[in-house]
Amino acid sequence: MMLACQRFVSVVRNSMTLSRYVTTWSPVGAAFNAQQRKVDLFQKNVGLFGVPGLSTPAGFEVAQQRALRETEQLVETACKTPPGALTVETFDQLSDSLCKVADLADFVKVGHPDPAFRNAAEKACINIGTVVERLNTNVELCRSLKNLLDNKEVLDSLDPDTRRVAELFMFDFEISGIHLDESKRGKAVSLNVNLLDLNNEFLNGSHLPNRIEKTALPEHIRHCFSIDGNSIQIGGLHADSPDELVREAAYKIFLFPNSSLLLCLDDLLTCRNELAKLVGYESFAHRALNGTMAKTPETVMKFLELLTDKLSDRTAKDFNLMRDMKMKMNSRSTELMPWDHSYFSSAVRAERYKIDPSLYSPYFSLGACMEGLNMLFSQLLGVSFQNEQPMAGEVWSEEVRKLAVVHETEGLLGYIYCDFFRRPDKPHQDCHFTIRGGRLKEDGEYQHPVVVLMLSLPPPTRSTPTLLSPGMMENLFHEMGHAMHSMLGRTRYQHVTGTRCSTDFAEVPSILMEFFATDYRVVNQFARHYQTGQPLPKSMISRLCESKRICGAADTQLQVFYAALDQVYHGKPQNRSTTDILKKMQEKFYGLPYVPNTAWQLRFSHLIGYGAKYYSYLMSRAIASMVWRQCFQKDPFNRDMGERYRREMLAHGGSKEPMLMVQGKELTLSLFFLAATFLPFFRVLALFFSY
């Protein structure tokens, strides 16, 4: 689409007293291991992210009106400009003007604690989105770009990045139905606007808790949930609870079907299919995958089916290990159920490698983990974090930390706002939001990217910092991979900045960070006890890293199931309910039984942002594994490899075809090598990636 919006030093030491012990942290570590310093109440309110006017919800109306005025001027300029690089630059300015409002609003509508701000932001998203869909079917605007692309002499004069961005803008016109007659273009706009509402409705509903009468649950487990008067509120699966009854109750109640949300999902999938058919595609999946590495849904489904076949024996062994563990722990039932997967896979790892998360957490204080990331990026890329105190009104919660990302020779690269701690009404999910994309401005200055990282961690107290489990630490590294992709993608155009690239490539940098998070040489650099300062014993690090191999096939198979369900939902209409499709896909691609009167699909929020592209996590893991093995497995701190990784992959954002980066000369990456180097079962990739 025209709009490229998305859902990512000082070394002076100081001391902080925790409990009766004294330890030493860098400024970055101290910032995350202590409670945030209060903002000066007498400061002038500078507005969210320092944007003037966003000190109140009404500011969104002002911001969008300003963006719309700029849009009118830029559309007029684009239509009058002779074919050339200036045409593409004007298109990118147009996209940037709209994204600055829409991207910010996209975060605020889910992340701000004030309902008034959330509502104002949601309206702004819908209004800007409506304008974008109209622009994507603006014949005169499209003609100005087509005149450029049809002029071989002009096209040959463009640099590769400008030419690719021009082609991407034209691709957005084409998938929006620019080739249709006027009445059908109007219908395409109407369908897209309807989808904006349906997307919001489904996303909001997918995060809402379910309620049940307090008396419906046994008294001894009620305290495990949020009690509100005579009812109990369940807002998650409680998958890691050691109490089997708690896991079962949470699963059945949280996933109990909501009839209105089922209708919303039906309408959403129908609307997506109708739009795809209108603009000339067999299905929404065909439309969504047209610009990815996989190209077609047939390729994706063959990938998932072959992967399932190669995984089947190992997955069965993993489930047997979990069943044995369940019997050993004297559970009420010996049948392995979906609510058991996460808990018993962790239990098997814990028994095999003596992994007790509570023994690791004191070594993984949030400050220590942030120090570890700081040290890793400094050694690998010459990049470090500087903690900055936000101005009044700049952040939406006093617990938000602001980091400036600084390169040792290039200076400031951008800003990361770290919204890491739990609070009421905050979504329980880990994610990266682009607030402002990087680009080269008309005056020659670079527009620094701004992102938000959202986690759901317990806040620090006066005596204890936030302590992370190994899984939380790995998630932190994953999300920081997205953020650094945004920081290090030094593209000329914001339309392709950072994570604005093919979806099945966008997860590569974040998944690559998981490899660093489970390498003992990296963990050894920062894991130290928050009270004594003692490092995490090497034997504990080694056991933790080795444990990742246990039950990996079953975990991967679960992701295959999610990806297959996503594909079928967005393929040709099935004339079956989404729940019936879920049952069938669960039987074919997972192995654990469907639980009657549950509708897991209503909690599958990735259907919105990753519609027909959820397979991307599996594809990106294969590529990330390949990059790790070729570049960092021998030495995770190799500066030369770090620079090459940035130069050949991160720096391009979406301005270069992912396949060209994967097969680039320097990294000598090929899909055959990708297939052979991830895990043995990824050899199946070579069978159907025949580029």
Side-chain angles (χ1 to χ4, degrees):
M1 289 182 290
M2 178 75 65
L3 185 57
C5 305
Q6 291 187 334
R7 308 271 189 253
F8 188 85
V9 146
S10 175
V11 294
V12 178
R13 312 290 287 184
N14 71 334
S15 297
M16 180 179 70
T17 302
L18 292 170
S19 187
R20 60 188 180 86
Y21 299 91
V22 176
T23 187
T24 307
W25 304 99
S26 72
V28 169
F32 285 87
N33 266 358
Q35 292 179 315
Q36 181 80 313
R37 182 157 52 93
K38 302 291 185 183
V39 173
D40 184 352
L41 297 177
F42 295 100
Q43 282 184 348
K44 179 184 177 182
N45 189 317
V46 299
L48 289 170
F49 299 101
V51 177
L54 289 185
S55 56
T56 66
F60 276 103
E61 176 67 26
V62 176
Q64 64 181 304
Q65 290 303 321
R66 185 187 309 116
L68 295 181
R69 287 194 298 272
E70 290 177 3
T71 296
E72 290 180 4
Q73 296 170 358
L74 289 167
V75 167
E76 184 178 351
T77 300
C79 292
K80 291 181 178 179
T81 301
L86 183 58
T87 304
V88 182
E89 292 169 9
T90 305
F91 268 74
D92 193 64
Q93 289 178 50
L94 177 57
S95 177
D96 183 57
S97 179
L98 294 167
C99 280
K100 282 179 180 176
V101 179
D103 280 343
L104 193 156
D106 195 46
F107 164 71
V108 171
K109 74 178 184 182
V110 297
H112 203 289
D114 186 341
F117 267 99
R118 293 200 301 268
N119 292 336
E122 185 170 319
K123 289 178 182 177
C125 282
I126 292 173
N127 291 339
I128 295 292
T130 301
V131 171
V132 169
E133 298 307 333
R134 288 174 179 157
L135 290 174
N136 283 346
T137 54
N138 184 313
V139 175
E140 188 178 358
L141 189 61
C142 178
R143 187 180 297 117
S144 70
L145 189 62
K146 192 173 187 302
N147 289 340
L148 182 154
L149 292 171
D150 287 346
N151 189 322
K152 186 178 184 307
E153 183 179 348
V154 172
L155 199 61
D156 290 344
S157 70
L158 301 180
D159 63 84
D161 286 1
T162 301
R163 180 169 180 162
R164 174 159 170 78
V165 171
E167 291 169 346
L168 288 173
F169 277 123
M170 180 55 72
F171 177 73
D172 293 337
F173 279 119
E174 290 169 351
I175 67 171
S176 297
I178 194 68
H179 55 285
L180 302 174
D181 61 38
E182 186 175 357
S183 65
K184 289 182 178 179
R185 287 199 307 272
K187 186 176 181 181
V189 171
S190 178
L191 287 170
N192 272 308
V193 171
N194 189 30
L195 278 172
L196 292 174
D197 291 328
L198 290 169
N199 289 346
N200 281 329
E201 182 182 347
F202 185 80
L203 270 180
N204 291 336
S206 69
H207 297 305
L208 287 177
N210 277 341
R211 291 177 176 272
I212 192 170
E213 288 295 316
K214 190 163 60 175
T215 54
L217 289 182
E219 188 173 356
H220 72 280
I221 68 169
R222 294 174 191 169
H223 70 280
C224 298
F225 307 108
S226 176
I227 299 176
D228 185 11
N230 291 321
S231 65
I232 286 177
Q233 182 173 283
I234 298 182
L237 293 174
H238 292 253
D240 296 325
S241 172
D243 190 317
E244 183 180 6
L245 191 57
V246 169
R247 297 196 306 274
E248 180 179 354
Y251 190 94
K252 290 181 175 179
I253 296 169
F254 185 61
L255 299 184
F256 190 79
N258 177 309
S259 57
S260 63
L261 204 57
L262 281 170
L263 287 173
C264 174
L265 179 57
D266 286 340
D267 290 345
L268 191 155
L269 296 176
T270 298
C271 191
R272 282 179 169 178
N273 181 69
E274 188 177 352
L275 173 63
K277 298 282 283 186
L278 177 65
V279 298
Y281 289 89
E282 290 182 49
S283 69
F284 184 82
H286 284 86
R287 179 179 184 264
L289 295 173
N290 196 11
T292 64
M293 288 193 290
K295 303 297 184 186
T296 70
E298 290 80 12
T299 297
V300 174
M301 285 304 295
K302 189 172 184 181
F303 166 50
L304 298 175
E305 288 167 354
L306 289 171
L307 184 52
T308 296
D309 180 59
K310 295 294 181 180
L311 278 172
S312 59
D313 289 344
R314 292 178 56 192
T315 299
K317 289 178 182 178
D318 286 352
F319 283 145
N320 285 334
L321 286 174
M322 295 179 207
R323 287 189 188 94
D324 291 344
M325 180 59 67
K326 188 172 183 178
M327 292 176 65
K328 188 182 296 186
M329 297 177 72
N330 299 314
S331 294
R332 296 181 298 115
S333 167
T334 57
E335 184 179 10
L336 193 67
M337 299 299 291
W339 55 76
D340 292 326
H341 183 143
S342 177
Y343 180 74
F344 284 110
S345 63
S346 296
V348 171
R349 294 184 187 106
E351 182 186 64
R352 286 278 186 96
Y353 291 97
K354 298 179 174 59
I355 303 295
D356 181 352
S358 67
L359 298 180
Y360 283 85
S361 292
Y363 296 91
F364 291 143
S365 68
L366 179 56
C369 294
M370 292 301 296
E371 280 191 354
L373 286 163
N374 200 21
M375 288 187 288
L376 176 63
F377 292 138
S378 179
Q379 294 177 69
L380 206 58
L381 297 159
V383 171
S384 57
F385 298 144
Q386 291 182 359
N387 184 60
E388 290 194 1
Q389 179 69 15
M391 302 290 285
E394 185 178 352
V395 294
W396 48 100
S397 168
E398 63 182 18
E399 296 299 330
V400 174
R401 271 63 164 175
K402 179 184 179 183
L403 293 178
V405 181
V406 181
H407 189 273
E408 59 189 22
T409 59
E410 299 172 31
L412 179 67
L413 296 180
Y415 294 99
I416 303 173
Y417 289 82
C418 301
D419 187 359
F420 285 171
F421 305 115
R422 299 170 187 156
R423 61 176 177 270
D425 296 327
K426 179 183 175 182
H428 292 284
Q429 59 188 36
D430 300 339
C431 46
H432 161 274
F433 292 86
T434 296
I435 303 300
R436 184 178 71 197
R439 74 180 183 102
L440 185 64
K441 296 191 291 186
E442 297 70 49
D443 60 6
E445 294 291 316
Y446 198 80
Q447 177 173 288
H448 295 122
V450 176
V451 304
V452 170
L453 290 190
M454 180 186 284
L455 302 178
S456 188
L457 304 174
T461 67
R462 294 183 63 182
S463 60
T464 308
T466 293
L467 303 179
L468 279 62
S469 67
M472 290 175 179
M473 180 270 286
E474 194 172 321
N475 287 345
L476 170 63
F477 271 63
H478 177 103
E479 297 303 332
M480 193 59 75
H482 284 307
M484 294 309 289
H485 195 182
S486 293
M487 295 297 110
L488 295 169
R490 270 346 213 201
T491 55
R492 178 177 175 183
Y493 300 102
Q494 73 85 38
H495 192 69
V496 291
T497 185
T499 55
R500 301 200 209 279
C501 57
S502 174
T503 307
D504 50 8
F505 187 77
E507 294 292 333
V508 171
S510 55
I511 292 175
L512 181 63
M513 286 300 297
E514 295 177 24
F515 286 88
F516 287 98
T518 53
D519 187 284
Y520 77 89
R521 295 163 295 182
V522 175
V523 177
N524 186 56
Q525 283 222 342
F526 68 87
R528 51 197 174 104
H529 201 284
Y530 78 98
Q531 291 175 315
T532 67
Q534 291 298 308
L536 180 64
K538 184 177 179 180
S539 61
M540 290 180 68
I541 299 175
S542 298
R543 292 202 308 272
L544 179 64
C545 296
E546 286 292 318
S547 72
K548 298 292 180 181
R549 301 179 182 181
I550 302 297
C551 297
D555 293 345
T556 301
Q557 191 60 55
L558 181 59
Q559 293 299 310
V560 172
F561 159 51
Y562 295 160
L565 182 67
D566 176 43
Q567 284 299 306
V568 175
Y569 279 166
H570 291 101
K572 296 176 182 178
Q574 298 287 304
N575 298 317
R576 293 182 291 166
S577 71
T578 56
T579 301
D580 286 339
I581 294 172
L582 174 76
K583 292 179 188 176
K584 184 70 174 177
M585 291 298 102
Q586 187 163 336
E587 177 184 339
K588 180 177 179 179
F589 286 100
Y590 187 23
L592 296 187
Y594 167 77
V595 179
N597 296 315
T598 63
W600 179 85
Q601 71 272 24
L602 300 183
R603 302 297 182 179
F604 194 10
S605 59
H606 280 79
L607 287 173
I608 302 305
Y610 282 76
K613 298 178 184 178
Y614 192 81
Y615 77 94
S616 298
Y617 285 98
L618 292 164
M619 184 61 62
S620 293
R621 186 164 294 280
I623 298 172
S625 173
M626 179 175 54
V627 174
W628 171 259
R629 287 168 183 262
Q630 282 204 354
C631 302
F632 303 114
Q633 188 173 51
K634 185 176 180 180
D635 177 8
F637 305 107
N638 188 308
R639 180 65 178 270
D640 289 339
M641 285 297 183
E643 294 291 353
R644 286 169 61 180
Y645 171 56
R646 179 190 179 186
R647 181 175 65 249
E648 294 168 28
M649 297 185 87
L650 295 182
H652 297 292
S655 66
K656 191 173 182 180
E657 282 278 3
M659 290 299 298
L660 296 178
M661 289 187 277
V662 170
Q663 295 175 312
K665 290 181 181 179
E666 291 291 325
L667 289 175
T668 62
L669 304 183
S670 68
L671 283 167
F672 177 81
F673 188 66
L674 181 155
T677 57
F678 176 45
L679 291 174
F681 53 78
F682 263 102
R683 282 196 288 268
V684 301
L685 285 172
L687 298 176
F688 55 92
F689 275 112
S690 55
Y691 300 105

